[in-house]
Amino acid sequence: MSGHNKWANIKARKTVQDAKRSKMFTKLIRELTIAAREGGGDPESNPRLRTAIENAKAANMPKDKIEAAIKKGTGESSGEELFEIMYEAYAPGGVALLISVVTDNKNRTAQEIRHTLSKHGGTLAESGSVAWNFERKGLLTVPKEEVDDLEELLLLAIEAGAEDIDEETDPIEIITSPENLTSVRNALKEAGYTVNEQLTYLPKTTVKVSDEDAEKILKLLDALDEMDDVQDVYGNYDIDDEVMERLAANL
């Protein structure tokens, strides 16, 4: 490879990386702002903000940007008016989706969501037709390698308010109500476990999808994730891990 071509490729990769980094920062800043606006600026009493701060730090966002975003949310400084909207949709195979967006332009975002869904075989759903199948939950994970006594972990989590535990996964997943997320997190951390936490939407029922539909669904999820205004997408699809890994590698 000539030096010119090599440099051209490096610049092309860097442009993509910088674009993704910028897009990531935009999403993280908006989540910090909305989280602070909805639950206050104290992360200890606001698990959504706590998770947003941890995600921002993991992305190497500067401290001053994190603080500025939080101040916008609490009203200590001015900024663009942001709207948090939850779209309900159907993906190929009858899979239900909740699409969480934060936007400064409702009309633009609605058009983009419709276009992306239509392009990938999905459709917008009527209000309430999808949301009923999802529940707001706290999700904590603990690396399996840290757990010497599984029963001890289970008892600790349950006593702190956990609702359900999936010990078959790695990391181990612990489900709580949003209200008990902080108490379970604190109990696990005090016991010495490494804990990751988030507020999420979990489906009450799932849909097993074919390999063909799985590919369409993952392409749709990837396209939605590329949108600046989309924060998260929740679905009730059931795709085998091997199929998902194989398809995701080709996206």
Side-chain angles (χ1 to χ4, degrees):
M1 179 185 293
S2 70
H4 172 76
N5 287 337
K6 183 175 182 179
W7 175 238
N9 287 337
I10 290 173
K11 286 198 296 183
R13 288 200 301 271
K14 188 178 187 307
T15 299
V16 171
Q17 289 168 356
D18 285 351
K20 288 185 176 180
R21 181 183 178 86
S22 175
K23 184 176 294 187
M24 181 189 301
F25 273 20
T26 298
K27 292 188 177 188
L28 289 169
I29 287 170
R30 288 183 173 183
E31 176 61 17
L32 287 162
T33 300
I34 291 292
R37 187 180 77 185
E38 297 299 317
D42 181 8
E44 284 306 311
S45 59
N46 185 346
R48 180 176 178 180
L49 178 60
R50 189 166 62 237
T51 298
I53 291 172
E54 290 176 357
N55 289 338
K57 288 180 177 178
N60 295 317
M61 180 180 289
K63 184 179 179 181
D64 61 335
K65 286 186 177 292
I66 295 175
E67 293 176 348
I70 294 173
K71 286 180 179 179
K72 286 180 184 178
T74 57
E76 296 175 61
S77 65
S78 60
E80 61 184 353
E81 184 177 11
L82 296 175
F83 304 93
E84 186 175 28
I85 307 168
M86 188 71 78
Y87 289 95
E88 300 177 47
Y90 289 109
V95 165
L97 299 178
L98 286 181
I99 306 169
S100 172
V101 308
V102 176
T103 179
D104 59 354
N105 187 322
K106 295 179 182 179
N107 292 333
R108 180 200 67 223
T109 300
Q111 292 174 0
E112 291 177 352
I113 291 287
R114 287 193 185 93
H115 174 73
T116 301
L117 286 168
S118 177
K119 184 178 179 181
H120 294 276
T123 58
L124 275 178
E126 294 184 6
S127 178
S129 60
V130 165
W132 66 269
N133 194 33
F134 291 84
E135 294 180 296
R136 188 67 159 162
K137 293 292 182 182
L139 173 63
L140 305 106
T141 60
V142 174
K144 210 164 193 175
E145 62 189 28
E146 292 186 5
V147 181
D148 296 324
D149 189 333
L150 182 58
E151 186 174 349
E152 180 183 274
L153 173 68
L154 298 180
L155 290 173
L156 177 65
I158 290 171
E159 288 176 359
E163 294 180 353
D164 194 15
I165 299 175
D166 188 348
E167 58 196 71
E168 300 300 322
T169 60
D170 189 7
I172 294 172
E173 296 182 346
I174 302 167
I175 308 299
T176 76
S177 66
E179 296 75 19
N180 287 339
L181 177 61
T182 298
S183 62
V184 176
R185 171 244 190 193
N186 289 343
L188 294 172
K189 288 184 76 70
E190 288 171 7
Y193 295 109
T194 301
V195 183
N196 286 318
E197 61 176 319
Q198 63 176 297
L199 285 166
T200 187
Y201 284 91
L202 298 179
K204 299 175 185 177
T205 60
T206 58
V207 175
K208 184 71 175 179
V209 297
S210 66
D211 287 9
E212 180 181 353
D213 283 336
E215 183 173 9
K216 294 177 182 178
I217 291 167
L218 292 182
K219 285 183 177 179
L220 170 58
L221 296 179
D222 192 52
L224 289 169
D225 186 59
E226 285 296 310
M227 295 177 59
D228 290 342
D229 297 337
V230 173
Q231 296 293 107
D232 287 295
V233 182
Y234 310 95
N236 71 335
Y237 49 86
D238 179 6
I239 302 175
D240 289 337
D241 289 345
E242 291 182 3
V243 174
M244 185 175 292
E245 290 175 10
R246 173 170 53 81
L247 292 174
N250 296 324
L251 290 180

